[in-house]
Amino acid sequence: MKIAFNPLMRGVLAAVTFSSATNTFCSEWGALALTGQSTEPVEQLPRQMKQFEQGQGTSSSVSSPTNGTPPLPVLGARAAALPGSGADQTVVQQTPSSRAVLNYLNFSFSALMSAGVSTARNGEIRTGHPAPYERGFSLNSAELAVEGAVDPYFKAAGSVSLVLDPDGHSEVELEEAWAATTALPFGLQVKAGLFQAAFGRHNQQHAHEWAFVDQPIALTRLLGDDGLRQPGAQLSWLVPIAVYSELSLGVFNNRNPGFVATEETAEGWHSVLHGGALQDHELRGPGDLLFVPRMSVSFDLTGTQTLLSGVSAAFGPNNSGPGADTQVYGLDIYWKWRPERAEAGFPFVAVQAEALYRRYEAAARVGPTGAVLPAETLRDWGLYGQVLWGFKRRWVAAFRAEFASADTGAFDSDLRNDRFRLSPNLTFYPTEYSKLRFQYNFDHRQIAGADHSAWVQLEFILGAHAAHKF
Amino acid sequence: MKRFFCVMLCSAIVGASAHEKLNVVTTTPDLAAIARAIGGAEVEVISLTKPTEDPHFVTPKPSLVVKLNRADALIEGGAELEAGWLTPLLDAARNPKLGIGAPGRIQAARAVALIEVPTGLDRSHGDVHAMGNPHFMTDPLNARAVAELVAARFATLAPEKAETFKTNLARFTAQLESKLAEWEKLLAPFAGRRVVAYHNTWPYFARRFNLRIDLFLEPKPGIPPTPAHLTEVIARMRAEKVRVVLVEPYQNRKTAERIAAETGAVLVEFCQFPGGVKGAGPSYFEWMDYLVRALSDALAKTAEQ
């Protein structure tokens, strides 16, 4: 439901007048006003219509009512007073409709916060940026977002996230700022700006669409804490066949942690992935950019079951040394069942799984201890699978299992050790604007051993709530 | 001779395009029924939703994107009924014919005077529709206004078939008038009677037929029934001898059944769309016939008690 404050809407609302003081029609709703009249005219029908009417004389025939019935609305003079039907019911004045309230800007503020306990150390808790990051309370994100149509040719969106750093100071992070075309022919669309690349499924979802409090390990490891999100541009094409199929190619600046690890370690500025000192990486040609192709297809298996699947890849150079490249491949699948007579979208069952594989060409480099590490290819992979069961209106039970692993490299990185995690959770949605989530994580890391965490998460959204995609 | 061929060729092209049907997509089956009545054999109509589906909560399946991508026209309710799912589908469909302001984008609510327009927007009142109640097709006169809009737009999109649409509209309107008189006669004996509904789907129907469908099992729109609210509803039903409860296919039937059992009321299967209940469709008239008859039967039955 898109409801937003804006001057235009206020103008329309200000034009509404009460028709009765004893307005008790559906008084259960409290102080809602129920009838009104606005100054906006009903859409004028094209001239052809008037010719229809004149030619047929229907106007005159419909305006002569049958006994006791209210006069039928007539073209051009649509006001038809209708008598109230009961003593306590408002006399409804049928007047020209309130025209569609068009919003220049849909504005929202949303916040995700968590509280929980964990046997893991504070620095090891977080997987994915808007995930809980320490024992006790975490403010995962507070986000201001706007979206709307720019003109007949573009739509645009932007969001700014306020996050707390470990010292409790607020940091401002630009999450997204992009525009996309709306009127290109041949099923084409261009999107440009800062946005989440079309890689897999989870990477394209906002934190508030996540089914768990945290991000899958495989994505955090292979694409980075913020996911694959860079300034860039993307061309996509809806293939003109009977089955839904979309091809897209994104081109981005190459600053993603999966490709260019920029984290500071205890030993100084070395890559947490391969241990080498960071090389300056400047753009010299198209080969230094990050390319993200994707293909997705979807079928309705039955009237109530839908499958959406995609293959994605990301290619670009990394910063371990000259000529070293990285390739990431992803496979994603999503299946949803919902009966035809679902009540407010419940019950449903949804299964989602993704598998990622990364091939990282690490150049010969100097490690943290000063030893030269040989040129090698680091292979990492990970996958997760999750099941959501909306068993009752407002309630969703979910379970996620995931595993990430890698081959052995010359540098011993925590990010490449085996990790296995099981996460059952339960979410209560009072409405689509709020949710309360309980989650337990059993997290087993190869060296650190098993950890247990339990989280409670609260989310609220004020203002516009963009409709979800499949 | 050359000229003759040219004329032949041109007329062949025009002829070919004239025989191509308009590809019409509607969000809901009631709008599809209107589109079929007006378009007749000249249009191919697909409804994105089934009559048993809750129009507020529709799974935005990618297959719907393909349907929208191929459409010449889209008929939507337009008053936020589809706000939860239509926009991303249209974005993905990339069909300039369905852009806001294009003749192919037919927003039914624009032909209708909406009621229950809130004076303020506050979500503590539940899921309130900012533009007014979007369930307007249950008033036959609103359906007529929508049919006129649809006929006009179809004529704009396929001017060569304007005459057909005009004839179809005249037929629809004439039938609507006679049917309306019939429906009003059937429900006239029950003027002023109060009826319980699960959700506030029926204000236009109630207004047209002088009924009071203003007691709801939902405490606020979109908020599921709570025990405290149901107790209050039961008390009011008993005090005012309200004996009819309306329930739609996707609403919680068990709750409605329990309320009916506790108050001795009759449960009536209602549906917002043609085909939502067996015998209620597929045309607009068959659907409205069903609603009027089912309700008048229930009201007659409970009046005797």
Side-chain angles (χ1 to χ4, degrees):
Chain A
M1 309 297 136
K2 285 185 187 171
I3 297 175
F5 294 105
N6 68 39
L8 181 64
M9 180 182 286
R10 286 208 183 123
V12 171
L13 294 175
V16 171
T17 53
F18 291 103
S19 57
S20 167
T22 57
N23 201 337
T24 54
F25 182 74
C26 82
S27 55
E28 294 83 357
W29 289 20
L32 262 186
L34 305 167
T35 60
Q37 64 191 97
S38 109
T39 51
E40 299 272 345
V42 177
E43 176 166 326
Q44 293 299 312
L45 299 175
R47 202 176 303 136
Q48 287 135 322
M49 269 318 300
K50 289 186 180 147
Q51 287 164 355
F52 279 18
E53 294 298 323
Q54 283 155 7
Q56 292 170 316
T58 46
S59 307
S60 57
S61 73
V62 295
S63 60
S64 55
T66 46
N67 357 327
T69 55
L72 298 168
V74 182
L75 278 171
R78 236 161 233 284
L82 290 161
S85 55
D88 64 344
Q89 189 174 324
T90 314
V91 174
V92 181
Q93 199 76 30
Q94 187 176 342
T95 54
S97 163
S98 54
R99 187 184 280 276
V101 181
L102 299 175
N103 299 322
Y104 288 134
L105 195 66
N106 288 316
F107 177 80
S108 74
F109 176 74
S110 64
L112 261 175
M113 57 200 80
S114 321
V117 291
S118 176
T119 58
R121 288 165 176 274
N122 276 346
E124 299 170 341
I125 287 174
R126 174 181 270 175
T127 45
H129 254 156
Y133 47 81
E134 62 185 5
R135 298 171 187 164
F137 290 92
S138 302
L139 179 71
N140 309 357
S141 88
E143 188 180 287
L144 285 160
V146 290
E147 57 101 9
V150 177
D151 54 27
Y153 314 106
F154 292 101
K155 60 172 177 167
S159 63
V160 172
S161 175
L162 302 161
V163 291
L164 293 178
D165 69 12
D167 301 323
H169 298 299
S170 302
E171 286 174 3
V172 179
E173 191 177 320
L174 183 62
E175 297 247 306
E176 286 195 296
W178 54 262
T181 61
T182 54
L184 285 189
F186 313 117
L188 294 171
Q189 186 172 58
V190 175
K191 187 176 180 180
L194 173 66
F195 58 96
Q196 299 284 144
F199 184 105
R201 183 170 173 82
H202 187 93
N203 190 63
Q204 299 186 64
Q205 291 182 325
H206 287 115
H208 101 97
E209 293 171 78
W210 293 3
F212 294 82
V213 304
D214 38 26
Q215 174 169 272
I217 293 162
L219 275 91
T220 307
R221 281 190 175 185
L222 273 58
L223 303 179
D225 276 339
D226 281 320
L228 207 49
R229 186 186 75 199
Q230 294 291 311
Q234 175 185 293
L235 174 70
S236 61
W237 180 43
L238 185 68
V239 185
I241 53 173
V243 169
Y244 174 87
S245 176
E246 190 189 16
L247 294 174
S248 67
L249 177 66
V251 184
F252 300 89
N253 262 1
N254 192 358
R255 295 236 172 254
N256 198 69
F259 294 81
V260 185
T262 53
E263 281 173 273
E264 189 175 16
T265 61
E267 296 88 15
W269 285 98
H270 286 270
S271 164
V272 286
L273 181 70
H274 56 72
L278 298 181
Q279 307 288 313
D280 262 352
H281 189 89
E282 274 179 37
L283 184 67
R284 285 175 299 268
D288 290 327
L289 292 167
L290 172 65
F291 292 86
V292 183
R294 172 171 170 81
M295 186 179 92
S296 58
V297 285
S298 172
F299 308 88
D300 289 337
L301 301 172
T302 67
T304 57
Q305 292 179 59
T306 302
L307 187 74
L308 174 64
S309 184
V311 284
S312 314
F315 306 110
N318 63 55
N319 68 343
S320 63
D325 289 328
T326 301
Q327 300 96 37
V328 188
Y329 302 93
L331 187 65
D332 59 279
I333 191 160
Y334 178 68
W335 168 89
K336 186 173 181 177
W337 166 82
R338 193 167 94 173
E340 230 172 75
R341 295 175 181 225
E343 184 199 5
F346 293 84
F348 71 88
V349 177
V351 175
Q352 176 176 327
E354 284 188 66
L356 283 88
Y357 170 76
R358 180 176 66 198
R359 190 178 164 278
Y360 191 106
E361 296 167 1
R365 60 216 184 269
V366 180
T369 55
V372 174
L373 301 169
E376 59 186 333
T377 300
L378 305 173
R379 293 179 179 85
D380 293 62
W381 62 275
L383 51 83
Y384 75 92
Q386 65 190 39
V387 184
L388 272 67
W389 177 32
F391 57 97
K392 188 176 186 302
R393 185 169 178 183
R394 296 169 146 188
W395 290 92
V396 180
F399 184 75
R400 180 183 64 194
E402 47 185 333
F403 183 68
S405 183
D407 64 358
T408 311
F411 174 71
D412 191 16
S413 167
D414 272 350
L415 284 180
R416 307 192 67 236
N417 290 331
D418 285 2
R419 188 170 178 182
F420 170 68
R421 189 165 70 175
L422 292 175
S423 314
N425 82 8
L426 180 69
T427 310
F428 174 61
Y429 292 87
T431 63
E432 63 257 51
Y433 306 103
S434 60
K435 74 173 171 231
L436 191 60
R437 173 169 289 160
F438 306 90
Q439 181 172 327
Y440 164 75
N441 280 352
F442 170 80
D443 191 353
H444 189 273
R445 287 175 293 164
Q446 199 175 16
I447 308 282
D451 278 307
H452 307 270
S453 311
W455 304 105
V456 183
Q457 186 181 49
L458 171 69
E459 184 197 50
F460 65 81
I461 302 170
L462 279 172
H465 179 201
H468 287 175
K469 291 178 182 170
F470 183 75
Chain B
M1 199 61 194
K2 208 170 180 183
R3 195 172 203 169
F4 173 76
F5 274 119
C6 190
V7 168
M8 285 295 283
L9 192 66
C10 288
S11 60
I13 289 167
V14 169
S17 67
H19 284 106
E20 223 162 77
K21 288 183 175 186
L22 264 187
N23 213 337
V24 179
V25 169
T26 72
T27 54
T28 51
D30 49 347
L31 300 171
I34 301 291
R36 285 193 190 100
I38 302 305
E42 306 296 345
V43 296
E44 199 70 61
V45 182
I46 305 171
S47 168
L48 295 180
T49 58
K50 296 208 171 71
T52 47
E53 244 178 307
D54 187 339
H56 299 93
F57 301 92
V58 172
T59 307
K61 296 184 279 196
S63 58
L64 305 184
V65 170
V66 177
K67 289 174 181 158
L68 286 167
N69 175 258
R70 298 173 158 211
D72 297 312
L74 166 68
I75 310 177
E76 59 172 326
E80 295 196 337
L81 182 69
E82 303 96 345
W85 52 277
L86 186 61
T87 310
L89 292 177
L90 278 168
D91 283 348
R94 300 151 205 202
N95 186 345
K97 288 181 193 166
L98 310 183
I100 291 277
R105 182 74 173 269
I106 308 172
Q107 293 176 306
R110 293 189 141 209
V112 171
L114 298 178
I115 59 173
E116 298 179 3
V117 181
T119 49
L121 297 175
D122 179 348
R123 287 204 187 116
S124 62
H125 295 308
D127 215 346
V128 175
H129 291 286
M131 291 166 61
N133 194 301
H135 310 287
F136 49 80
M137 291 294 283
T138 52
D139 177 349
L141 297 195
N142 286 344
R144 200 189 87 113
V146 171
E148 285 163 358
L149 174 65
V150 167
R153 291 293 189 87
F154 280 5
T156 308
L157 293 167
E160 70 282 0
K161 292 164 194 159
E163 278 305 312
T164 310
F165 301 139
K166 183 173 143 183
T167 314
N168 291 345
L169 176 66
R171 190 190 306 127
F172 181 80
T173 309
Q175 196 181 352
L176 191 93
E177 279 167 43
S178 72
K179 276 288 183 186
L180 179 59
E182 190 185 306
W183 296 329
E184 281 176 322
K185 205 172 154 193
L186 271 168
L187 286 169
F190 313 107
R193 283 279 296 271
R194 182 167 249 170
V195 172
V196 174
Y198 194 97
H199 177 75
N200 187 20
T201 315
W202 309 99
Y204 297 89
F205 184 86
R207 186 186 63 171
R208 178 57 55 197
F209 299 109
N210 293 328
L211 299 163
R212 292 155 67 204
I213 312 181
D214 55 358
L215 199 53
F216 309 111
L217 300 188
E218 287 181 345
K220 289 173 182 178
I223 305 294
T226 56
H229 177 72
L230 291 179
T231 309
E232 199 190 311
V233 171
I234 290 169
R236 288 185 68 178
M237 285 176 71
R238 284 187 179 142
E240 300 182 37
K241 298 193 168 55
V242 182
R243 294 268 168 74
V244 175
V245 178
L246 307 180
V247 66
E248 295 169 53
Y250 42 81
Q251 292 166 348
N252 193 326
R253 207 188 149 89
K254 275 186 199 154
T255 309
E257 270 171 359
R258 188 159 60 77
I259 300 301
E262 284 195 32
T263 55
V266 173
L267 198 65
V268 180
E269 298 227 32
F270 248 39
C271 54
Q272 253 194 85
F273 305 116
V277 174
K278 210 177 166 192
S283 77
Y284 184 82
F285 300 110
E286 287 165 294
W287 167 54
M288 283 296 291
D289 260 337
Y290 170 86
L291 295 184
V292 169
R293 280 171 208 286
L295 186 57
S296 64
D297 286 354
L299 287 166
K301 203 165 131 193
T302 52
E304 288 159 12
Q305 289 168 1

